[in-house]
Every structure is written in structure tokens, then in C-alpha cells.
Amino acid sequence: MKKKKRKTAAEGYLFVMPATLIVLLVTVYPLVRGILVSFTNTNFLYPQKAKFVGLKNIIDIFKDKEFISALGFTIFFAVSSVVLIYLIGLALALLLNREFKGKGLFRAIMLLPWVIPNVVASNMWLWMLNDQTGMINLTLLKLGIIKEPILFLATPFMAKISTVLVNTWKSFPFMLLVLMAAMQNIPKELYESASMDGANAFQRFKNITLPMIKPVSITSTVLIMIWSFNNFETVFLLTKGGPASATSNISIYMYNSAFFRNQMGYASAIALVMLVFMIVLSSLYQYVLNRKED
């Protein structure tokens, strides 16, 4: 009997082994390699001349004004995106949780931003936000709402706002799906009992809906925070970090350091700082929410 169990266990490990090796190759190895490179002065053009420099790269990062500026925009971009995505996702989930005609069609339309590839979506928004031929400016001018085109991507303030709004548009369907699924799992009897006790719609939302979807809300907002913090393609395709580095986030700054300045060691150190920052931020976020719950 024991021999059979051992044989079955061995066969199980054998079947899992290929997938485990692939995961180790594509995730664990690059992570370990990146951490090791971050403690060197590796140059992309002369990798053979790399030397161990210890914590020098990390110390230099926090003295780097460009990095501090990129960190500031990254935090603004991530926090603003999370707030907007959650509020829009929650509002639409509450709407779609009700029965009405055309619900299926409306839900399908709401999911379109999520399924459109980032490159296509970003280029579409580039055209719409163009100050000369963009649909948004042309429409506002014809309606007489504005007298001159808005420079959505040409001024620092508007470029920051535009990148946040595009990221929100692209990501809110994920939040919508998650929250809607959580709401549909709430027993209807709870709402019926609350209504019989005289609770109005807001009280039912506050005391039943929000507490019941809280675990899902925590997980989804942390995921959106991580995705927004690490976002590269949306911002890069829209502004390439401009104008005047106003929308240069950490990912873009790391990319420029690695492939334009050839500072692979420095870029790897930036990636390591990002990793630690996200771990600390996620842990702190969950700790605060769990403490409030207790």
C-alpha cells in the first residue's frame, strides 16, 4: 500500500516538474538575476567590465532628482487611478446588479475597454486627444464649449490628468466584473430582511453591500494599485514620459536608464526598489484595513 502511494506521489511530481521548471525559468531566475545585477555597475555595452558596487546604486537612486520626480508621478498616477477605477466600477456594478432591458448588451459594451489591446487603445486615445484633429477637441469647439483646442498631451498638468483618465478607462471593466460577481453572491434574504426592518437603499448599501464585498474590494484594489504602479505601455505610448518628463514614471525612467543610458545595474536597482516599495505598500494597506475591521 505504501509503495503504491509513493509511486503515485512520484508520478504526480513527474507531471508537475515541466510546469515547475518553466515557472522557475521565466519568473524566479530573472528575479534573482535582476537582484544580483542591481549590486553591480553593469553597462549594457560592456557587460564584461561589471564590478560589484554594493548598495551604491540604491543610495544614488534616492539622491537622483529624476527618480524622485518619477516616483512622485508614479504615486499620483497609481493612487488617482485606483480611486477612480474603484468608484466607477462600484457605481456600474450597482447599476448592473439590477434587472433592466438591454442589461446584457450594456454589460458587453462596458467590457470593451478591457479586451482592446493596450497598443490599439493608446493609439486610439492619441488620435482623440490630438489638439488639431482630435475628436474631443473638434466636438467641444463645434458645441462652443471651448474657444481654442485643449492641449491634452502637450502641457504637464493636462498630460498627467489625461494619462490617469486613459488608464482608468482601460482598467475599470476589471473592477466592474469583480465587484459585480461579489454582489451577485450576496443572499437576497439579507436585503429583504433589512427592508422589512425599515432600512433605506443607502443603509442597505452601507451595512450589507459594502461589508460583503470588502474582501474582494481589498484584493482588487491592491491588484489595480500594483498594475498602475508598474504601468509602462499606457503612459509610454501616450506621452513617452513627456512633456518635459512630467509623465515619466518609474517604469519609463528604468527603461530609459537601461536602454538609452546603458546602465543595466542602475536600472536593476530601480526595479529592486520598486519591488520592495510595492511589497511594503501592499502589506501596509492590508494591515490598515484589517485593523479597521477588528
Side-chain angles (χ1 to χ4, degrees), residues 4-5 24 46 49 67 82 88 99 109 128 133 138 146 194 206 236 248 262:
K4 285 185 178 180
K5 284 184 179 179
L24 289 172
Y46 309 103
K49 294 183 180 181
F67 173 81
V82 167
I88 293 171
E99 292 299 327
I109 293 171
M128 289 199 296
T133 59
L138 291 177
I146 58 174
K206 180 184 176 183
F236 184 80
S248 176
N262 302 313

Side-chain angles (χ1 to χ4, degrees), residues 186-196 208:
I186 301 174
K188 292 182 180 180
E189 292 79 9
L190 294 176
Y191 292 107
E192 292 171 359
S193 299
S195 297
M196 290 175 67
I208 298 175

Side-chain angles (χ1 to χ4, degrees), residues 28-271:
V28 178
Y29 173 74
L31 176 63
V32 174
R33 177 66 179 162
I35 292 171
L36 293 175
V37 171
S38 69
F39 296 108
T40 68
N41 62 350
T42 303
N43 187 291
F44 191 71
L45 296 177
Y46 309 103
Q48 69 277 6
K49 294 183 180 181
K51 293 181 181 179
F52 180 78
V53 294
L55 296 174
K56 183 180 181 302
N57 286 331
I58 295 173
I59 293 169
D60 289 346
I61 283 170
F62 290 102
K63 293 179 181 178
D64 190 343
K65 290 182 180 179
E66 285 186 67
F67 173 81
I68 300 300
S69 174
L71 177 62
F73 173 70
T74 303
I75 293 172
F76 167 78
F77 179 83
V79 173
S80 302
S81 296
V82 167
V83 172
L84 289 173
I85 289 166
Y86 186 78
L87 291 176
I88 293 171
L90 180 61
L92 290 172
L94 289 168
L95 175 65
L96 291 173
N97 200 35
R98 299 180 178 184
E99 292 299 327
F100 59 88
K101 283 188 177 181
K103 177 181 174 180
L105 177 63
F106 187 72
R107 183 165 53 188
I109 293 171
M110 288 295 101
L111 296 179
L112 280 176
W114 182 253
V115 299
I116 296 175
N118 279 324
V119 174
V120 176
S122 297
N123 279 290
M124 179 184 73
W125 279 101
L126 266 177
W127 168 71
M128 289 199 296
L129 294 171
N130 187 282
D131 58 313
Q132 298 298 320
T133 59
M135 185 184 72
I136 296 174
N137 270 312
L138 291 177
T139 303
L140 293 175
L141 285 167
K142 284 182 179 179
L143 293 174
I145 297 173
I146 58 174
K147 293 183 179 179
E148 56 184 23
I150 300 171
L151 305 177
F152 287 107
L153 301 174
T155 60
F157 176 75
M158 287 306 301
K160 289 177 181 180
I161 299 300
S162 298
T163 53
V164 169
L165 292 178
V166 171
N167 186 53
T168 300
W169 174 84
K170 186 74 180 70
S171 305
F172 84 85
F174 169 79
M175 188 67 72
L176 167 62
L177 277 176
V178 170
L179 294 180
M180 192 165 59
M183 288 178 188
Q184 289 174 351
N185 287 327
I186 301 174
K188 292 182 180 180
E189 292 79 9
L190 294 176
Y191 292 107
E192 292 171 359
S193 299
S195 297
M196 290 175 67
D197 290 337
N200 57 35
F202 178 75
Q203 288 171 331
R204 293 195 297 271
F205 169 73
K206 180 184 176 183
N207 298 311
I208 298 175
T209 306
L210 281 181
M212 294 294 285
I213 65 171
K214 185 177 178 181
V216 173
S217 296
I218 293 171
T219 304
S220 54
T221 50
V222 169
L223 282 173
I224 292 291
M225 175 67 78
I226 293 170
W227 293 341
S228 298
F229 194 89
N230 294 323
N231 187 288
F232 173 81
E233 61 272 18
T234 300
V235 181
F236 184 80
L237 290 168
L238 285 172
T239 65
K240 291 183 173 56
S245 299
T247 59
S248 176
N249 60 14
I250 295 179
S251 296
I252 292 175
Y253 183 60
M254 179 173 60
Y255 172 81
N256 290 335
S257 297
F259 298 108
F260 286 96
R261 300 173 185 175
N262 302 313
Q263 299 172 333
M264 292 300 294
Y266 191 72
S268 297
I270 295 172

